[in-house]
Every structure is written in structure tokens, then in C-alpha cells.
């Protein structure tokens, strides 16, 4: 039965390539690029055609003129498919395109197709539900990341400097994005042995490190803003204090989730035992404790002016309950930087 399904998939791909080849070239259609996208998102579940993935990336980087036919071809492919293999390869392909950081892609705002309610039409529901959930979660993350990237580009184009409250809200948004990312995982034991899921999880793990690093940079920015706002008016208030404390609590929860996520990856073999990152649970980092303490202190400026004049930044007894996760891997750092 599996051989029959593969044979049908090959015939579908060949037919699609033929139709693309005889289609008329327009500003939205490029037959050659369309054929490459079809090959990259084939029905074959035995491997990922990274060669054609790279060819698509090359087209994307060559000129903004190719973005329209690229987006049209991939969207058309995703809108028509009811096969989880094609849908997952399409998400991996658009994920790679997003990682190219091409300005035209960064400005699209949302993914150009919708897989939020994807359901495989060629597999029994009892077997397909895990794959459907994986694709929906992967789509939700990439779609939200596109929106967040577009929003930050708009904010960066604004010459106005961000306030502490805006920095904290941005950090909350990235924590929510991490929540979506950690949902992209195989739901059933049978899925962990599927090669295509394994390949997708490599992309997801890489993304986890990137989002985590982004969150660390945002913490540093928020601390810098807190020091500045301590000496200007208006100073941080209750809103900033509540945001900072909420971020601390959320970081604790995400620490547990990250540990479980990396344990799953190690079991799957996505993270090699001698190559996997070490996750250390430590008291909240100094920067984060400093942030909460500063905004908490200056929020009471009207009733505690004497404390404002003698801020003691060496007091580390406050907020000992907050914890965040720290990813430490000395063997892994150099390769991640590359």
C-alpha cells in the first residue's frame, strides 16, 4: 500500500511539473522556478530535497523580481495540497526563505498561505492527527514570527526611542512566540521515527536557540532602559513592575518546558548526547533581578524619595523566587555562531 501511495505521489508531481512547464510566463508565474518548488515539496516522504531547497533560496536572493512568482508558486502548492508530506516540506521551505532575511520577505507580514486548519486527506484520521497537529503548530509559529518581524521593522523605522514599558511588552511578545515554538513537536511515538519529522525538528531546535538569544538581548535592552528611566520623568510605574514580574514567572515556566523539549530532542536523536546543550536552572540572572528591582523601586518614587537618592544595586536579596533558564554549551557555541 505504501509503494502504491508513493507511485501516485510521483505521478502527481510529474503532472504538476508538466503543467508548470507549459504555462505562460507572467509577472506572477515563472515555469522554471515553479518546477523547482514542486520538486522541493514533492510527495516523497523518504527524504528532503535540500538541493532544490538551495536552488529556491538562490532565486530568492538573486532579485526582488523573483519574489512574486516564488510566493505565488509556493502558495498555490500549499493551498491545493491535502498531503502532510507536501505541507511540511512547504513549511520547511518557507522557514528557510525567512531565515535568508530578505527585505521583501520580511515585509510580507503574514505567511502567504493558511495551514491553520490543515487536515491530511489521504491518511486515516487515527494516524494523521499527530501530523496534522505538527503542521498546524509549525504554521502558527512561522506565521506569528513573520508578523512580529514585520512589526519590529516598522518600529525600527520610527526614530522615536522605545520606553521601558515598550521594551518589556516586546519581551512578553517574544516569550509568547517561544510558547508557540515549543508546541512544534511530534505528538505520538510513531512520529518520532519518521525521517521527515526528524529533519523538521532540526529546523525547530535551531530556531529555539535563535529565539532564546533574542530574548536575552531584549533583557539587556530592558535593563539599559530601566537605568535611563530611573533618572528621567516620567519614571516606571506599577504597569512596568507588573510586566517585569510577569516576565519572571513566565521565564520559570518556560525553563521547565525547555528542559522537557530538549529531553525529547535527545530521545529522538536530534540532539546528539555529546553535542547537546546543557540546560542549567539557576536563580534569575543578575540583569533580570536588577531590572525588576529598579522598576519596583522607582515606581514608589512619590513616597520613597529617600531611597531614590541612595539606590543600592548590591542588594541581591529581593525576588529570589524568580528563575530563568540558561543554556550553556561550550562545545556548541562556536558552531552556533557560525
Amino acid at each position: 500500500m505504501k509503494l502504491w501511495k508513493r507511485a501516485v505521489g510521483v505521478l502527481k508531481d510529474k503532472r504538476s511539473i508538466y503543467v508548470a512547464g507549459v504555462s505562460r510566463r507572467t509577472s506572477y508565474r515563472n515555469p522554471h522556478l515553479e518546477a523547482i518548488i514542486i520538486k522541493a515539496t514533492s510527495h516523497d516522504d523518504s527524504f528532503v530535497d535540500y538541493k532544490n531547497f538551495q536552488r529556491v533560496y538562490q532565486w530568492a536572493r538573486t532579485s526582488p523580481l523573483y519574489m512574486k512568482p516564488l510566493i505565488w508558486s509556493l502558495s498555490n502548492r500549499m493551498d491545493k495540497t491535502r498531503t502532510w508530506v507536501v505541507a511540511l516540506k512547504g513549511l520547511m521551505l518557507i522557514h528557510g526563505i525567512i531565515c535568508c532575511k530578505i527585505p521583501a520577505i520580511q515585509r510580507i507580514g503574514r505567511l502567504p498561505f493558511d495551514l491553520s486548519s490543515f487536515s491530511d486527506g489521504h491518511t486515516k484520521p487515527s494516524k494523521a492527527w499527530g501530523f496534522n497537529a505538527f503542521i498546524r503548530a509549525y504554521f502558527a509559529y512561522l506565521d506569528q514570527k513573520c508578523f512580529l518581524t514585520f512589526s519590529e521593522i516598522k518600529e525600527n523605522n520610527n526614530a522615536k526611542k522605545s520606553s521601558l514599558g515598550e521594551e518589556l511588552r516586546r519581551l512578553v511578545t517574544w516569550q509568547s512566540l517561544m510558547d508557540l515554538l515549543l508546541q512544534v513537536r511530534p505528538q505520538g511515538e510513531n512520529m518520532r521515527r519518521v525521517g521527515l519529522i526528524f529533519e523538521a525538528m532540526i529546523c525547530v531546535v535551531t530556531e529555539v536557540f535563535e529565539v532564546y538569544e533574542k530574548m536575552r538581548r531584549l533583557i539587556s535592552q530592558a535593563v539599559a532602559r530601566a537605568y535611563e528611566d530611573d533618572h528621567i520623568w516620567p519614571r516606571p510605574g506599577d504597569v512596568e513592575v507588573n510586566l517585569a514580574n510577569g516576565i519572571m514567572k513566565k521565564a520559570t515556566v518556560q525553563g521547565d518546558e525547555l528542559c522537557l523539549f530538549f529531553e525529547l530532542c535527545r530521545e529522538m536523536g536530534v540532539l546528539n548526547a555529546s553535542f547537546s546543550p546543557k540546560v542549567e536552572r539557576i536563580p534569575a540572572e543578575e540583569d533580570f533581578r536588577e531590572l525588576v528591582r529598579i522598576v519596583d523601586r522607582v515606581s514608589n518614587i512619590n513616597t520613597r524619595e529617600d531611597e531614590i537618592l541612595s539606590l543600592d544595586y548590591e542588594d541581591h536579596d529581593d525576588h529570589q523566587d524568580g528563575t530563568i533558564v540558561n543554556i550553556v554549551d561550550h562545545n556548541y557555541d562556536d558552531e552556533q555562531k557560525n
Side-chain angles (χ1 to χ4, degrees), residues 32-33 35-42 47-61 89 92-93 97 199:
H32 185 49
L33 177 57
I36 294 173
I37 290 174
I38 293 168
K39 292 175 183 177
T41 58
S42 69
F47 82 112
V48 179
D49 190 346
Y50 286 115
K51 180 180 178 180
N52 279 306
F53 269 49
Q54 292 298 329
R55 293 174 71 187
V56 173
Y57 303 153
Q58 222 170 1
W59 277 76
R61 294 190 190 101
K89 287 184 177 181
M92 293 170 67
L93 182 59
I97 294 171
E199 297 290 340

Side-chain angles (χ1 to χ4, degrees), residues 73-90:
S73 299
L74 184 56
S75 299
N76 187 52
R77 181 80 165 162
M78 294 298 98
D79 289 338
K80 288 181 178 180
T81 190
R82 292 194 65 198
T83 304
W84 73 266
V85 174
V86 176
L88 182 53
K89 287 184 177 181

Side-chain angles (χ1 to χ4, degrees), residues 308-328:
I308 299 296
L309 298 174
S310 58
L311 286 175
D312 179 13
Y313 294 113
E314 299 302 321
D315 178 12
H316 301 296
D317 294 330
D318 297 337
H319 306 287
Q320 291 296 321
D321 293 336
T323 58
I324 64 176
V325 95
N326 186 29
I327 300 178
V328 180

Side-chain angles (χ1 to χ4, degrees), residues 147-167:
F147 176 74
L148 185 53
T149 301
F150 175 70
S151 300
E152 290 196 341
I153 289 173
K154 287 177 63 179
E155 290 176 6
N156 292 336
N157 291 336
N158 188 348
K160 183 181 176 182
K161 195 171 186 179
S162 300
S163 66
L164 174 59
E166 289 171 336
E167 294 284 358

Side-chain angles (χ1 to χ4, degrees), residues 88-113:
L88 182 53
K89 287 184 177 181
L91 288 172
M92 293 170 67
L93 182 59
I94 194 70
H95 189 176
I97 294 171
I98 292 170
C99 291
C100 292
K101 296 183 179 179
I102 301 167
I105 289 294
Q106 292 179 323
R107 292 193 296 267
I108 62 176
R110 295 282 191 181
L111 289 188
F113 50 85

Side-chain angles (χ1 to χ4, degrees), residues 75-327:
S75 299
N76 187 52
R77 181 80 165 162
M78 294 298 98
D79 289 338
K80 288 181 178 180
T81 190
R82 292 194 65 198
T83 304
W84 73 266
V85 174
V86 176
L88 182 53
K89 287 184 177 181
L91 288 172
M92 293 170 67
L93 182 59
I94 194 70
H95 189 176
I97 294 171
I98 292 170
C99 291
C100 292
K101 296 183 179 179
I102 301 167
I105 289 294
Q106 292 179 323
R107 292 193 296 267
I108 62 176
R110 295 282 191 181
L111 289 188
F113 50 85
D114 185 7
L115 294 177
S116 59
S117 57
F118 176 82
S119 181
D120 189 289
H122 305 285
T123 308
K124 293 180 180 179
S126 58
K127 295 182 178 180
W129 71 270
F131 298 104
N132 294 340
F134 190 93
I135 288 167
R136 292 173 187 175
Y138 199 179
F139 168 81
Y141 168 74
L142 291 176
D143 188 53
Q144 187 61 29
K145 183 180 180 181
C146 281
F147 176 74
L148 185 53
T149 301
F150 175 70
S151 300
E152 290 196 341
I153 289 173
K154 287 177 63 179
E155 290 176 6
N156 292 336
N157 291 336
N158 188 348
K160 183 181 176 182
K161 195 171 186 179
S162 300
S163 66
L164 174 59
E166 289 171 336
E167 294 284 358
L168 292 174
R169 290 186 189 92
R170 188 176 294 115
L171 183 51
V172 169
T173 303
W174 277 90
Q175 283 186 320
S176 299
L177 189 69
M178 178 66 89
D179 280 341
L180 288 176
L181 182 56
L182 294 178
Q183 296 303 311
V184 187
R185 62 177 72 190
Q187 301 294 327
E189 288 290 335
N190 61 318
M191 291 180 63
R192 300 185 184 186
R193 297 185 294 273
V194 177
L196 194 53
I197 296 294
F198 178 88
E199 297 290 340
M201 286 300 294
I202 294 175
C203 301
V204 174
V205 169
T206 303
E207 196 74 10
V208 167
F209 287 114
E210 291 184 6
V211 173
Y212 180 79
E213 183 58 31
K214 173 71 174 182
M215 290 166 60
R216 289 177 63 89
R217 290 197 300 269
L218 288 174
I219 290 172
S220 298
Q221 292 173 18
V223 171
R225 291 298 302 154
Y227 274 115
E228 292 177 16
D229 289 358
D230 187 20
H231 300 91
I232 63 175
W233 188 266
R235 293 181 174 88
D238 291 341
V239 173
E240 286 78 8
V241 173
N242 291 334
L243 281 171
N245 283 317
I247 290 168
M248 290 279 284
K249 293 176 182 177
K250 185 66 177 177
T252 303
V253 174
Q254 285 190 334
D256 295 332
E257 293 174 346
L258 273 168
C259 288
L260 293 173
F261 180 83
F262 285 129
E263 183 60 33
L264 170 64
C265 291
R266 276 190 285 269
E267 290 175 1
M268 290 182 64
V270 176
L271 293 174
N272 189 292
S274 61
F275 190 62
S276 61
K278 182 180 180 182
V279 180
E280 291 186 354
R281 197 173 304 281
I282 61 175
E285 289 182 345
E286 182 61 24
D287 280 350
F288 222 60
R289 291 204 304 271
E290 194 80 340
L291 170 63
V292 175
R293 188 151 46 79
I294 291 171
V295 296
D296 190 26
R297 193 185 296 268
V298 300
S299 68
N300 298 316
I301 183 67
N302 292 327
T303 58
R304 300 170 61 190
E305 292 182 353
D306 55 329
E307 291 187 20
I308 299 296
L309 298 174
S310 58
L311 286 175
D312 179 13
Y313 294 113
E314 299 302 321
D315 178 12
H316 301 296
D317 294 330
D318 297 337
H319 306 287
Q320 291 296 321
D321 293 336
T323 58
I324 64 176
V325 95
N326 186 29
I327 300 178

